[in-house]
Amino acid sequence: ETGVTQSPTHLIKTRGQQVTLRCSSQSGHNTVSWYQQALGQGPQFIFQYYREEENGRGNFPPRFSGLQFPNYSSELNVNALELDDSALYLCASSFGPLETQYFGPGTRLLVL
Amino acid sequence: KQEVTQIPAALSVPEGENLVLNCSFTDSAIYNLQWFRQDPGKGLTSLLLIQSSQREQTSGRLNASLDKSSGRSTLYIAASQPGDSATYLCAVRREYGNKLVFGAGTILRVKS
């Protein structure tokens, strides 16, 4: 059984660009949650996808968007990147929206 | 709005010492509380999960307690080792909630 995987591991972008981060959920999981962790802070909830629909969103602007595919993998898209978007982006998958979340290794995004 | 605070922000101890990390939360209507370990630049490893109906959970040298009514949890690490050096995060999930709310973490350094 494979765990949660994320790609790429590291990414460097410039301000104003767009970025797509990917997450493959653990086998049997139908829910993916995304978190942003700025340096020195705890992770902050961005949104959750359950059965291909957004199922809750944190305090993030609309330029943060997502998708979930029929195989339950997920993408996080960020448009018009800002310097403050530099962070570790974590995804977590679970058997359902209220079940225990299992985290991937994260994608480190640096915006210059 | 749920807020999670962790004290101390950083801790440095000699090898072999027993130590306690503290976590407090403002809304006692939680479903569970989870302690995570995070190595530098890495994802989250779940250590212990305590349901709201439980008082404590143990795993090896780790013991986590929960006092839901007072909004507090402690993580006790016995006989600390240099390999325990990491950031420790606590997170709470509210009843019927689909997201985790994290504290900022405690950075632990165990000196050999």
Side-chain angles (χ1 to χ4, degrees):
Chain A
E1 176 183 296
T2 56
V4 180
T5 60
Q6 293 186 241
S7 63
T9 55
H10 296 83
L11 204 51
I12 300 175
K13 292 286 188 178
T14 56
R15 194 171 47 182
Q17 285 189 313
Q18 178 265 343
V19 69
T20 297
L21 310 182
R22 295 177 176 83
C23 173
S24 291
S25 57
Q26 190 167 314
S27 178
H29 289 184
N30 59 19
T31 302
V32 173
S33 303
W34 286 92
Y35 293 81
Q36 180 197 64
Q37 186 179 20
L39 197 62
Q41 298 181 22
Q44 300 287 320
F45 176 74
I46 302 174
F47 43 55
Q48 182 184 81
Y49 277 83
Y50 169 57
R51 292 185 175 178
E52 302 179 58
E53 297 287 333
E54 186 178 291
N55 183 49
R57 187 180 183 91
N59 189 27
F60 281 82
R63 59 190 186 83
F64 286 77
S65 63
L67 282 173
Q68 187 178 33
F69 300 99
N71 67 354
Y72 303 128
S73 65
S74 178
E75 287 182 353
L76 164 64
N77 299 290
V78 187
N79 294 322
L81 283 167
E82 301 177 359
L83 298 180
D84 285 349
D85 296 333
S86 296
L88 181 68
Y89 288 84
L90 297 162
C91 81
S93 73
S94 53
F95 282 111
L98 304 183
E99 301 301 320
T100 301
Q101 298 178 7
Y102 297 84
F103 283 82
T107 293
R108 173 78 59 188
L109 173 64
L110 177 61
V111 182
L112 301 176
Chain B
K1 176 187 172 185
Q2 178 72 272
E3 293 183 0
V4 179
T5 302
Q6 292 189 243
I7 294 173
L11 184 62
S12 182
V13 300
E15 182 177 5
E17 193 163 297
N18 302 325
L19 56 99
V20 175
L21 307 182
N22 297 290
C23 172
S24 62
F25 45 95
T26 54
D27 185 351
S28 62
I30 64 168
Y31 178 65
N32 59 36
L33 182 145
Q34 201 164 356
W35 283 93
F36 293 89
R37 170 186 172 135
Q38 186 174 35
D39 293 295
K42 304 296 184 181
L44 306 181
T45 300
S46 180
L47 298 174
L48 292 165
L49 185 151
I50 312 177
Q51 300 294 348
S52 61
S53 58
Q54 298 175 317
R55 299 285 293 186
E56 65 179 321
Q57 281 284 343
T58 298
S59 175
R61 293 184 294 109
L62 305 180
N63 175 276
S65 67
L66 174 64
D67 185 341
K68 184 181 167 183
S69 61
S70 68
R72 294 178 183 178
S73 175
T74 61
L75 178 66
Y76 175 82
I77 303 177
S80 59
Q81 303 170 357
D84 294 331
S85 298
T87 297
Y88 290 81
L89 295 154
C90 77
V92 297
R93 181 198 292 264
R94 67 174 175 83
E95 293 179 88
Y96 308 111
N98 63 351
K99 69 177 183 181
L100 298 176
V101 179
F102 286 84
T106 293
I107 302 171
L108 173 65
R109 180 188 173 205
V110 181
K111 299 172 288 185
S112 58

